Amino acid sequence: MDVFVEQMVKRRFGTKDKLLTAGIVLAALLLSFIFILVVPVFIRAFSLVSFFFVAAAWYGAYWLISSLSLEFEYAVTNGDITVDKIIAKRRRKRILVADAKNIEEMGRYKESDHVQRNYDKRVIANTGEEQAEDWYFTFHHRHFGHTLLVFTPDERTLEAIKPYLKRQVAVHAFSRY
């Protein structure tokens, strides 16, 4: 019987995102000021060109701020784990594809346990904050090398991954679970 489980996780809007949003709005205000007050001095009148540039600045600000809205989709199909990033519900990007049989280590994620470890690629696809629900696994990816994935799976996703893990990885990951 085929196994297919899909889960969506929305990244929370954190402090860094709020500061970035404030910076984008300030930049749009500054550009608007320049286009309304400074450009007409050189062009000799408030023109349609200035209005166009102000509108473009605010549209760009809207587009950048809305692009901060991220969701991650985890899909497990017969042991194949796929992680996609969905940006502002308008664009999807495949981040990672892994085979559960190739997972070397899996368990609950604590950032302090992985700070000193060397990974060729770190993929953080969780809600944006370290939580008790975060899990990790490491594996060797053919393009990225030794890879760490941090994600926030639900019970169904974990149960879909579990039968495809190597026995010792499953015992290590789920014995303390």
Side-chain angles (χ1 to χ4, degrees):
M1 188 164 114
D2 288 340
V3 174
F4 178 73
V5 174
E6 194 173 54
Q7 177 190 357
M8 298 285 287
V9 174
K10 184 167 178 63
R11 193 186 70 153
R12 293 192 181 108
F13 211 68
T15 306
K16 184 174 120 179
D17 296 322
K18 291 175 185 174
L19 290 174
L20 196 54
T21 300
I24 291 169
V25 169
L26 287 174
L29 282 170
L30 180 65
L31 285 173
S32 297
F33 174 76
I34 289 170
F35 292 134
I36 290 172
L37 297 178
V38 177
V39 171
V41 170
F42 297 109
I43 298 180
R44 297 236 197 306
F46 181 77
S47 65
L48 192 58
V49 174
S50 293
F51 177 75
F52 173 74
F53 283 129
V54 169
W58 283 102
Y59 177 75
Y62 161 76
W63 193 84
L64 288 173
I65 291 169
S66 67
S67 293
L68 295 175
S69 172
L70 296 177
E71 293 178 343
F72 295 102
E73 179 185 64
Y74 315 135
V76 180
T77 309
N78 295 330
D80 290 329
I81 304 164
T82 306
V83 180
D84 292 339
K85 178 168 53 172
I86 301 167
I87 304 165
K89 296 183 182 179
R90 65 177 167 238
R91 204 172 89 206
R92 174 184 294 264
K93 180 178 179 185
R94 173 123 327 138
I95 297 177
L96 184 65
V97 177
D99 189 351
K101 295 173 187 148
N102 296 331
I103 292 176
E104 299 165 355
E105 185 180 350
M106 183 173 178
R108 296 280 187 170
Y109 179 71
K110 292 182 190 158
E111 188 175 2
S112 58
D113 295 344
H114 298 275
V115 171
Q116 297 298 324
R117 296 177 69 180
N118 290 330
Y119 298 106
D120 296 325
K121 175 99 172 156
R122 293 174 188 256
V123 178
I124 310 298
N126 63 356
T127 57
E129 303 167 350
E130 186 175 341
Q131 298 180 13
E133 298 95 37
D134 286 349
W135 283 71
Y136 77 95
F137 65 78
T138 63
F139 67 103
H140 185 78
H141 191 272
R142 65 178 178 214
H143 298 296
F144 302 139
H146 192 223
T147 304
L148 167 73
L149 171 70
V150 179
F151 66 126
T152 310
D154 61 7
E155 199 65 35
R156 292 177 327 122
T157 305
L158 289 173
E159 289 300 319
I161 295 172
K162 192 175 182 179
Y164 298 97
L165 293 173
K166 295 176 194 167
R167 180 168 166 62
Q168 67 193 90
V169 174
V171 168
H172 175 74
F174 294 102
S175 65
R176 295 180 266 162
Y177 172 54

